Amino acid sequence: MFQTSKRKTEDLSRWNKDIPLTAEGGPLDRGGELRNIAAYYSDGRLIVSKSHQNNPKVLSLIAEIKLFDYPSPKIHLADINKVQACYGISEDMLHFRGKNDDAKMRREVIQLVGEMSKRHASDIHVVVYEQSCIVRARIDGSMEHVAEWPPEYGHSFCAAAFTMADASDVNYQPYEYQGARVSNRKDLQLPPNVISLRLQFNPTVYDGRAMIIRLLYNTDEKTAGDVTALGFTAEQLEDFEFLRQKPYGINVVAGPTGHGKSTTLQRNIISILQEHKYNIAFYTVEDPPEYPIPGAVQMPVTNASTAEERAAAFTKAISASMRSNPDRIMIGEVRDAASASLAFEASMTGHQVWTTLHANDALTIPFRLRDLGVEDFKLSDPDLLTGLISQRLIRVLCPKCCLNLEEHDLSFGLTGRLDNLDIPIEILRKRNPEGCATCGEGNGYKGRSVIAEIIIPDAKFMELIRNDDKVGAEKYWLTELNGRNLMEHMIDRVKIGDVDPVDAERIIGPLIPPQRGSE
């Protein structure tokens, strides 16, 4: 409710004249959104962001001032950083925000990347709205709020990040879709554990901007080539070893963006090189290369300004790798008919190919390849399509501080599904929101781990795929080939208390195991 004139007078008599009446807890506290763009003082000063003088919240504030006989507003238009200064933003931040110093802004980009790399964030999202800029980071697969800035600061931050790129469009265009890469570590002094950054810029409504910074980390020499550490089961590790020994065939890793496909490829490629004592020719084609692979010839696809140019450059690089007398080839992603055709051509001429594909699960991979124009006779040959892999990443609970899960933590449906799985609630665990010394304050997780399924097809399986019998192919894989799917791997991790069942269902859906055996 609006305050009366008498109450207003009492408020002003004991209100510090140097603190805005619109401050938090003040007589005219109308929320943080207004404080982003305006500050009103007891002497009548109304400091308004010059970009928001006609904003409805500002006009509403002016009407309220006049209605309840506050001192007549004397409007002063200012940059938004000056408005922020009215509310006691730190001097360091004010000093920085008041300068158009590109070099200093670049250092702020590096500082943010450094802070987030300490928490091993996979990416940082900087979204500039009409009246604010929100910064979030994806840590262990979950988005966390990092900071809130004025929009002008956010725009400058995005522009500075673009100027740091060593592979991008020539000019920064704030209303266009753009991509870029930052990898010049010597000059930019990226954090020691970060090898490069991938940037994606997207225009948003009301002249906004969204920038996503993907952090790519150095590989620890101790874990290079160690597929075991990723979380695969013993049976799956045996499958990988079998696939690595084949000198031909295509092995496809599927899964959503950000779920570790590139890491799985890199670890297996390094394992192949180590197993052959680096005495083989391994070529990779990537857009762009994400991780260094010692011993491999990594061929980047860069500086293409359109999707058509990137596709043409990617195809050209694959063709060049095939003419380079390789023993093995890695294609960063099968993305179109041309790259799919070349991958199968490489396999048919005696090369082993490792690649990634966007598909929901391993069974869907052949159907996605068919959508990309691969002929049925190729998809029916288990000597051509040798390995179908699908994976997700799931947050693993900290073993030191995780808590017992209680019934009120579960929905009615999840409780029923756990009962059907004969999983007693006593063995289930959940995250401790306070964290501990092992996982970090306010964390409760010890990182992420792979949930996966691997299909090594045979002729019968491929025949079912060719006949579009996906249900029959799945049943044959689970029964005759002793397969285990993503859901079963996830349920196993829930049963041993590694994973919160609520987290599990967010990643993979309702915990319902597949039907096995004949109908």
Side-chain angles (χ1 to χ4, degrees):
M1 296 179 61
F2 289 133
Q3 302 178 56
T4 65
S5 179
K6 180 178 179 181
R7 175 68 183 275
K8 178 269 298 183
T9 304
E10 291 174 351
D11 286 334
L12 295 187
S13 67
R14 52 190 176 81
W15 195 257
N16 188 322
K17 67 178 182 178
D18 295 324
I19 299 177
L21 302 183
T22 46
E24 186 173 0
L28 286 171
D29 178 3
R30 298 298 175 261
E33 191 173 346
L34 177 67
R35 284 193 290 275
N36 280 333
I37 57 177
Y40 176 68
Y41 291 86
S42 59
D43 60 3
R45 284 176 297 145
L46 177 58
I47 314 300
V48 179
S49 164
K50 58 187 178 183
S51 301
H52 300 89
Q53 54 186 307
N54 295 318
N55 183 278
K57 290 189 176 296
V58 174
L59 298 178
S60 177
L61 175 65
I62 293 173
E64 189 175 346
I65 290 170
K66 293 178 178 178
L67 179 62
F68 291 105
D69 200 28
Y70 284 94
S72 181
K74 308 179 192 63
I75 298 175
H76 300 270
L77 299 179
D79 292 333
I80 199 167
N81 62 292
K82 299 296 184 184
V83 177
Q84 298 290 304
C86 299
Y87 296 102
I89 301 294
S90 70
E91 284 301 313
D92 288 343
M93 182 61 78
L94 288 174
H95 178 69
F96 170 68
R97 288 180 180 173
K99 289 187 174 183
N100 291 318
D101 184 344
D102 186 62
K104 193 171 182 69
M105 183 66 84
R106 290 186 186 196
R107 288 195 292 273
E108 287 294 314
V109 175
I110 297 299
Q111 180 179 342
L112 177 63
V113 169
E115 291 172 357
M116 292 302 99
S117 70
K118 291 176 183 176
R119 302 184 64 190
H120 212 77
S122 60
D123 45 79
I124 304 167
H125 295 242
V126 180
V127 184
V128 186
Y129 297 98
E130 187 177 15
Q131 297 177 6
S132 64
C133 174
I134 304 298
V135 183
R136 298 183 180 92
R138 190 178 298 279
I139 299 170
D140 290 335
S142 181
M143 294 290 281
E144 294 187 15
H145 179 84
V146 174
E148 183 173 356
W149 303 328
E152 289 84 352
Y153 178 78
H155 280 297
S156 298
F157 189 92
C158 292
F162 185 88
T163 63
M164 296 163 57
D166 58 293
S168 66
D169 296 337
V170 176
N171 299 312
Y172 179 60
Q173 301 178 41
Y175 307 116
E176 300 290 340
Y177 296 98
Q178 293 181 291
R181 184 182 76 242
V182 177
S183 60
N184 194 335
R185 300 179 61 196
K186 182 177 180 180
D187 294 339
L188 295 173
Q189 296 182 334
L190 290 175
N193 59 331
V194 176
I195 189 168
S196 65
L197 310 174
R198 290 177 63 180
L199 311 178
Q200 176 62 41
F201 299 86
N202 304 320
T204 62
V205 295
Y206 308 118
D207 297 333
R209 192 68 160 159
M211 176 178 67
I212 297 85
I213 304 174
R214 182 83 181 272
L215 282 70
L216 302 175
Y217 294 93
N218 280 319
T219 301
D220 188 340
E221 291 184 4
K222 296 180 181 179
T223 60
D226 184 8
V227 185
T228 307
L230 299 179
F232 293 100
T233 67
E235 294 79 7
Q236 290 167 347
L237 292 171
E238 289 181 6
D239 288 340
F240 273 124
E241 183 180 4
F242 176 77
L243 293 175
R244 290 198 299 268
Q245 297 305 316
K246 280 181 167 287
Y248 52 81
I250 300 173
N251 302 309
V252 184
V253 182
T257 301
H259 277 262
K261 299 188 299 296
S262 296
T263 301
T264 296
L265 280 186
Q266 181 218 29
R267 296 283 179 94
N268 272 291
I269 291 169
I270 293 176
S271 291
I272 291 171
L273 290 163
Q274 291 174 342
E275 289 163 1
H276 288 82
K277 302 186 185 302
Y278 296 91
N279 291 322
I280 61 171
F282 208 130
Y283 281 75
T284 77
V285 179
E286 303 166 80
D287 179 19
E290 292 196 357
Y291 300 106
I293 304 176
V297 180
Q298 295 180 263
M299 301 169 62
V301 178
T302 58
N303 295 322
S305 58
T306 67
E308 292 76 11
E309 289 179 3
R310 278 192 293 273
F314 202 71
T315 301
K316 183 178 180 181
I318 296 173
S319 298
S321 70
M322 291 171 58
R323 293 193 299 269
S324 301
N325 191 26
D327 295 299
R328 306 284 193 277
I329 298 173
M330 189 272 272
I331 300 171
E333 179 186 350
V334 170
R335 58 180 64 193
D336 52 29
S339 57
S341 176
L342 285 170
F344 275 86
E345 181 181 337
S347 178
M348 293 174 71
T349 54
H351 303 95
Q352 186 188 68
V353 179
W354 292 78
T355 189
T356 69
L357 182 74
H358 288 292
N360 290 333
D361 52 38
L363 276 163
T364 307
I365 291 172
F367 298 97
R368 282 283 295 119
L369 291 169
R370 180 184 293 168
D371 288 342
L372 292 175
V374 178
E375 299 94 329
D376 279 343
F377 79 89
K378 296 177 181 177
L379 295 176
S380 304
D381 189 345
D383 287 331
L384 285 182
L385 193 55
T386 48
L388 310 176
I389 303 126
S390 180
Q391 68 178 60
R392 302 289 188 278
L393 291 180
I394 184 69
R395 292 184 294 180
V396 178
L397 297 170
C398 174
K400 298 291 186 182
C401 68
C402 63
L403 305 173
N404 291 331
L405 195 143
E406 302 175 11
E407 282 194 28
H408 64 77
D409 297 313
L410 304 174
S411 67
F412 177 77
L414 178 52
T415 301
R417 289 188 286 276
L418 293 172
D419 287 342
N420 291 335
L421 292 168
D422 293 325
I423 303 178
I425 195 170
E426 292 78 19
I427 68 173
L428 298 176
R429 298 292 182 267
K430 66 178 180 179
R431 166 182 174 260
N432 183 345
E434 295 181 1
C436 66
T438 299
C439 62
E441 183 179 348
N443 189 357
Y445 295 103
K446 68 168 187 178
R448 291 197 290 173
S449 180
V450 161
I451 301 296
E453 60 188 15
I454 301 178
I455 302 174
I456 299 180
D458 64 5
K460 175 66 174 178
F461 178 88
M462 287 305 202
E463 180 183 349
L464 293 167
I465 291 294
R466 182 171 185 171
N467 293 333
D468 288 331
D469 187 1
K470 187 175 181 181
V471 174
E474 180 179 28
K475 184 175 295 185
Y476 177 78
W477 166 50
L478 294 174
T479 56
E480 301 301 322
L481 300 182
N482 298 317
R484 287 181 63 78
N485 69 4
L486 284 166
M487 183 63 68
E488 292 174 300
H489 192 181
M490 181 71 85
I491 291 171
D492 288 344
R493 300 298 291 273
V494 170
K495 283 181 177 179
I496 62 175
D498 267 358
V499 176
D500 184 329
V502 176
D503 285 344
E505 292 209 330
R506 289 195 188 109
I507 295 296
I508 206 168
L511 295 175
I512 302 174
Q515 296 295 319
R516 291 176 176 272
S518 59
E519 294 291 349

